[in-house]
Amino acid sequence: MLTIPKKFVDDMIDHAKSESPLECCGILAGKEETVTHIYKMKNTENDPDKYFMEPKEQFVAIKDMRAKGIDMLAIYHSHPHSPARPSGVDIKLAFYPDAIYIIVSLMDAAKPVIKGFLIKEGKVEETAIKIN
Amino acid sequence: MPVKVKIPTPLRKLTANKGEVEVDGKTIGEMIENLEKSYPGLKERLCDEAGAIRRFVNVYINEEDIRFMQGKDTSLKDGDEVSIIPAIAGGNIN
C-alpha cells in the first residue's frame, strides 16, 4: 500500500488551496511504496477544469528522480470544485499505468478529500493510501 | 546517423520491453518513420492522423523540448539522445 508521510499530504492540500480555483498538479516519488519526495509542478492550463504539467519541469523532475534513484509513485492533481474521482479526461490521459493517480478534492474546503486510483487501459480502481 | 531514443514504460510493449532503442534519422520526423519500421504501432501513439506529434507527447532532444525548436523538422546529430515522455494531464472537459 502506498504510504505518504502526513507532511506531504499537507503539502498537497496547501498546493491545491494555493492554486484554487485552478487545478494544481505534482508528483510523489520514493522507494518501494513509501513517498520521500514531492515535486510541486506548474499547471500550464489557465482553466479550472484542466491541468497540463509544464513539460520542462516534468522532464527535470524525471531526471532528478533518476539521479536520486527514486521512482515516480504517484501523480496528484486537485479538483477544486468536484469530487475526488477521475473525470473522463483524467482517465483518457492517464498514460502512467504504474503510478497511483491521487486526486485532492476541495469541494468541501474545510474537509479536503484525498483518494488514490490505479488507471489502466481505461479501467479505474480505487486504491487505499496509508497516511502516517 | 544513429540516435538513442528513450522509450517510456507505457510504450515498451511495442519495443519488446526495451527502454532504449537506436534508430537512424536526420530529423525527428525521419526518426519517427524509422521507429515505425522497426516497431510498428509506435508512430500512431506519437502522432495524430495528420502526422503532427500529439499534444500529450513530450519529445526532448538531450535537454530541449522540440516544441521550442523546429518540432518534427528539428535536426538530429550523431549521438543525440531523444526522450519520449507522455504528458501528465487531465481535466473535466476536452
Side-chain angles (χ1 to χ4, degrees), chain A residues 41-52:
Chain A
M41 309 296 276
K42 184 177 173 189
N43 170 14
T44 63
E45 297 281 9
N46 189 24
D47 179 323
D49 288 317
K50 288 183 185 170
Y51 76 98
F52 193 112

Side-chain angles (χ1 to χ4, degrees), chain B residues 17-34:
Chain B
N17 277 324
K18 280 187 266 187
E20 185 176 298
V21 301
E22 280 205 3
V23 289
D24 287 325
K26 290 191 199 72
T27 63
I28 288 287
E30 267 189 40
M31 179 205 82
I32 290 173
E33 294 302 329
N34 288 331

Side-chain angles (χ1 to χ4, degrees), chain A residues 16 20 78-85 104-113:
Chain A
S20 181
S78 61
H79 281 179
H81 53 76
S82 58
R85 62 168 177 257
V104 180
S105 169
L106 298 180
M107 206 161 74
D108 179 350
K111 283 186 184 170
V113 174

